[in-house]
Amino acid sequence: MRVISGQYKGAKLLSPRGEVRPTTDLVKGSLFSMLQSRGMLNGAVCLDVFCGSGALGIEALSRNALSCVFVDVDCKNVNANLDKLKIKAQVLQQDFRRALRTLKNEKFDLVFCDPPYKTDYAEEVFNLLVKYGMLNENGVAVLEHATDKPLNLPKQNIIESRVFGVSAFDIVRGKNESDICGNV
């Protein structure tokens, strides 16, 4: 696994072992190309939930995001990767529910959520983000999930959906009133 573009391009990242499913370069490249073309990365305040290696948050930082908070129950790999790249960032080694309660007064432009596929955690994270008002006015969440387990979210919240084999991601906004980001 590596950083694919920006300041840290080409840096190899330590990845968790075992039953994990790191986001592939194809998926990551497509996602970040889309986000960058919409101007959603430059200066963004990010949150990477279920960060694992921190690959999504680090990719955002590499492409000019302002900051990123990393959350996972096991932060060994993300800490090693941040140290290797000399990136200073807040890392919360906590269950996602506790971490979101801890951060509930913070506002984010971009939230990455890549939970284990056999769970409903992506929906739960999104619902907590909305409940706590954690997304900035134009903020969005990128929710990765298995293609055979679509998210049960209101259609008006979904800005874009992409499918890559067994992986899919939805870009969703927290507000229903208007199309904040236009068509992505």
Side-chain angles (χ1 to χ4, degrees):
M1 189 167 16
R2 64 187 176 89
V3 179
I4 56 177
S5 188
Q7 178 181 353
Y8 306 111
K9 180 179 181 178
K12 292 187 183 199
L13 301 175
L14 182 63
S15 178
R17 300 251 186 260
E19 290 188 36
V20 294
R21 172 209 27 80
T23 303
T24 66
D25 283 354
L26 174 68
V27 174
K28 192 167 39 168
S30 176
L31 170 64
F32 279 92
S33 177
M34 188 182 340
L35 294 172
Q36 199 157 20
S37 71
R38 297 290 178 206
M40 299 175 79
L41 289 170
N42 197 25
V45 176
C46 303
L47 173 63
D48 190 350
V49 185
F50 301 101
C51 68
S53 66
L56 295 175
I58 291 171
E59 189 73 39
L61 292 169
S62 184
R63 296 176 186 231
N64 296 320
L66 180 65
S67 64
C68 187
V69 177
F70 296 88
V71 172
D72 209 323
V73 292
D74 179 358
C75 294
K76 175 181 53 187
N77 290 302
V78 68
N79 282 323
N81 290 327
L82 292 171
D83 287 346
K84 175 183 177 181
L85 297 172
K86 296 178 177 38
I87 297 172
K88 295 201 183 309
Q90 182 179 4
V91 178
L92 295 177
Q93 185 167 338
Q94 299 175 347
D95 170 80
F96 73 94
R97 294 173 194 96
R98 182 173 173 211
L100 292 176
R101 275 193 311 274
T102 299
L103 296 167
K104 71 180 178 182
N105 294 322
E106 304 291 325
K107 296 280 188 185
F108 297 95
D109 301 305
L110 190 52
V111 176
F112 300 103
C113 178
D114 185 11
Y117 275 6
K118 295 177 183 176
T119 69
D120 292 326
Y121 293 161
E123 290 173 28
E124 190 173 349
V125 166
F126 180 71
N127 289 330
L128 288 171
L129 292 170
V130 171
K131 175 182 175 181
Y132 296 145
M134 296 175 71
L135 292 172
N136 278 327
E137 183 179 339
N138 294 330
V140 297
V142 177
L143 308 174
E144 195 165 337
H145 58 93
T147 54
D148 64 352
K149 192 168 172 65
L151 300 178
N152 185 22
L153 297 173
K155 296 282 186 232
Q156 66 268 24
N157 288 74
I158 300 171
I159 296 170
E160 180 77 20
S161 296
R162 295 278 172 97
V163 174
F164 298 88
V166 297
S167 297
F169 66 79
D170 293 325
I171 299 176
V172 295
R173 61 176 169 244
K175 298 186 183 260
N176 295 334
E177 298 91 338
S178 63
D179 190 353
I180 296 168
C181 299
N183 292 325
V184 177

